[in-house]
Amino acid sequence: MRTAEVVVAAIIFVVGALFMYSSYKLGFRWSPEGPESGFFPFYVNLIICASSAVVIFKTLMVRSAESGESFVERLQLKRVMSVLVPALIYVLGIQLIGIYVSSTIYILLFMHYLGKYTWVKSIALAVAINVIFFFMFEVWFKVPLYKGLWDLTGFTGY
């Protein structure tokens, strides 16, 4: 348990430090016109880094009796992975086939396998949701979303 706490706090610290650095490059001071672009993100991430450092320090300094308690049990890990792995595949799918097709497949499979919905209901909802999003972004707002390396929506003309 202690190892997990230290690792997670260290990862959060590193991410906060990276964002602090990019905020520093944008400008993190108060100028005569007001706060620079990186002012608020810099100080929010400073708080995140300080909090992570406190968690690391307290975790390492507190002597606790090791209860043999596991960080995660097998069933819990299986549940987390049943959501995390498809989400990672979805993100990779966006790169190849774009956000609309990937989202349709993701929603369809998620509804059917994890939500236990019928194929008909899963397909209908997945397609309907993404058709609505397509019209909302591409047609009405005129904001094109990423179509992927293999544009499977090219037949639409958008």
Side-chain angles (χ1 to χ4, degrees):
M1 201 63 138
R2 284 177 53 157
T3 304
E5 287 182 17
V6 170
V7 168
V8 170
I11 290 170
I12 292 172
F13 182 89
V14 168
V15 170
L18 288 172
F19 281 109
M20 266 180 61
Y21 177 70
S22 61
S23 299
Y24 169 80
K25 285 174 49 177
L26 285 173
F28 71 100
R29 293 191 170 86
W30 195 275
S31 70
E33 294 84 32
E36 294 178 343
S37 299
F39 182 83
F40 292 111
F42 179 86
Y43 289 104
V44 167
N45 284 290
L46 180 63
I47 293 168
I48 288 171
C49 287
S51 300
S52 298
V54 168
V55 168
I56 292 169
F57 179 77
K58 284 180 123 181
T59 303
L60 293 176
M61 292 301 135
V62 172
R63 301 250 185 239
S64 65
E66 288 294 325
S67 63
E69 182 182 350
S70 171
F71 174 66
V72 65
E73 295 174 9
R74 184 176 298 273
L75 181 61
Q76 293 170 331
L77 183 62
K78 184 179 176 188
R79 286 181 182 162
V80 169
M81 289 299 137
S82 70
V83 174
L84 181 64
V85 171
L88 292 173
I89 293 170
Y90 167 66
V91 170
L92 293 173
I94 290 173
Q95 302 305 309
L96 293 175
I97 57 178
I99 197 161
Y100 298 115
V101 178
S102 291
S103 295
T104 302
I105 294 168
Y106 182 70
I107 291 170
L108 183 147
L109 295 176
F110 211 92
M111 283 183 66
H112 182 73
Y113 289 110
L114 292 178
K116 307 291 187 220
Y117 289 94
T118 64
W119 279 110
V120 173
K121 192 179 284 187
S122 300
I123 292 169
L125 235 52
V127 170
I129 288 168
N130 283 287
V131 166
I132 290 169
F133 281 153
F134 179 83
F135 277 99
M136 186 170 59
F137 286 106
E138 304 284 332
V139 179
W140 300 327
F141 293 150
K142 305 237 183 277
V143 177
L145 297 182
Y146 188 65
K147 306 290 190 306
L149 296 174
W150 311 327
D151 182 6
L152 301 179
T153 59
F155 67 90
T156 63
Y158 285 94

